[in-house]
């Protein structure tokens, strides 16, 4: 099946290719692991990276366009091995416009321990609104990972989930927001680990977490950006 690539699909292919560079820049991936995808607004389509291709070789023209069942619509390469998981998230969570997966070191260490990251930092309250939760173990290849992501994050403030024994998945209103969540998740995971090596992190009051989250989500930054 082929698709006449309109301007929006072409724009997202360019954006998704570029955003993979941010995963490298922030040391969130190794070799060819990890992936970014974006929903095509108003269409039952998503854009995702090809499987097993070096980050140095990712370009707009080799990004893969799939439908929301994970079937390739446009592209000459096989899509990411996590395509089914991304597709499930888009089907189940219509508000999500971007999904990211990484095996970033500190956050994945928490996932290996099967432990959520407690909220002891203002930056974590800002972005995640509380703890970063742990999702269930699931094998790669089908949509079980997607089901675990949706079950864990539905109704949760956090845009990140630590899938047990696997790694990090993040969601966002678009692909850029999901990448930001992945970057912030690793930063929080690293700081939380360092805090534990120094002693016992100091708890934050829930009211303070709520206030910080509301300010950051609704006041911080520039209007319309």
């Amino acid at each position: 099946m082929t698709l006449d690539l309109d301007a929006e699909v072409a724009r997202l292919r360019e954006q998704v290719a570029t955003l993979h560079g941010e995963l490298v820049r922030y040391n969130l991936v190794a070799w060819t692991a990890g992936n970014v995808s974006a929903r095509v607004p108003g269409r039952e389509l998503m854009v995702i990276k090809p499987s097993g291709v070096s980050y140095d070789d990712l370009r707009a023209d080799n990004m893969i366009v799939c439908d929301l069942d994970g079937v390739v619509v446009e592209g000459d390469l096989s899509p990411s091995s996590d395509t089914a998981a991304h597709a499930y998230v888009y089907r189940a969570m219509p508000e999500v416009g971007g999904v990211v997966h990484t095996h970033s070191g500190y956050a994945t260490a928490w996932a290996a321990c099967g432990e959520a990251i407690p909220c002891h930092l203002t930056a974590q309250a800002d972005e995640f609104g509380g703890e970063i939760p742990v999702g269930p173990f699931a094998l790669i290849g089908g949509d079980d990972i997607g089901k675990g992501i949706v079950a864990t994050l539905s109704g949760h403030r956090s845009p990140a989930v630590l899938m047990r024994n696997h790694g990090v998945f993040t969601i966002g209103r678009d692909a850029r927001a999901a990448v930001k969540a992945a970057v912030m998740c690793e930063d929080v995971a690293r700081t939380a680990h360092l805090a534990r090596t120094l002693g016992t992190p100091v708890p934050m009051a829930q009211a303070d977490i709520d206030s910080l989250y509301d300010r950051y989500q609704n006041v911080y930054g520039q209007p319309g950006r």
Side-chain angles (χ1 to χ4, degrees):
M1 181 179 181
T2 60
L3 172 72
D4 292 329
L5 293 180
D6 60 18
E8 181 65 3
V9 173
R11 181 188 72 81
L12 287 173
R13 291 180 84 163
E14 184 69 44
Q15 181 189 56
V16 170
T18 300
L19 285 171
H20 280 92
E22 296 297 290
L23 303 188
V24 176
R25 176 185 177 193
Y26 287 98
N27 297 311
L28 303 186
V29 294
W31 203 241
T32 62
N35 39 70
V36 178
S37 73
R39 182 198 294 271
V40 181
R43 304 174 73 168
E44 295 296 297
L45 298 172
M46 66 178 189
V47 176
I48 196 166
K49 75 183 275 282
S51 178
V53 175
S54 169
Y55 279 79
D56 291 339
D57 296 329
L58 295 181
R59 307 179 309 274
D61 63 7
N62 62 23
M63 293 299 103
I64 310 301
V65 182
C66 297
D67 67 19
L68 297 191
D69 290 313
V71 177
V72 174
V73 172
E74 181 74 21
D76 298 325
L77 302 173
S78 298
S80 166
S81 59
D82 291 304
T83 295
H86 288 240
Y88 186 91
V89 172
Y90 290 128
R91 293 198 306 272
M93 304 179 81
E95 72 278 12
V96 171
V99 179
V100 171
H101 172 47
T102 77
H103 299 151
S104 59
Y106 284 91
T108 300
W110 287 82
C113 292
E115 185 175 355
I117 304 176
C119 188
H120 297 304
L121 301 166
T122 60
Q124 184 172 344
D126 287 345
E127 179 71 20
F128 301 96
E131 73 169 18
I132 299 175
V134 173
F137 174 75
L139 292 174
I140 301 167
D143 59 13
D144 285 348
I145 291 174
K147 291 176 181 177
I149 296 166
V150 170
T152 306
L153 294 184
S154 291
H156 203 291
R157 286 174 173 173
S158 175
V161 54
L162 312 175
M163 293 299 286
R164 186 168 60 83
N165 302 110
H166 186 174
V168 182
F169 281 84
T170 60
I171 58 175
R173 65 182 179 278
D174 55 26
R176 184 176 183 275
V179 170
K180 178 192 174 187
V183 172
M184 296 300 293
C185 181
E186 179 65 2
D187 185 63
V188 164
R190 180 176 59 250
T191 307
H193 167 74
L194 293 172
R196 282 196 172 182
T197 67
L198 292 172
T200 302
V202 178
M204 294 178 65
Q206 186 62 50
D208 291 334
I209 294 172
D210 294 343
S211 177
L212 288 161
Y213 181 74
D214 179 70
R215 179 200 65 88
Y216 188 76
Q217 299 297 322
N218 300 304
V219 177
Y220 176 83
Q222 302 301 315
R225 298 187 65 176

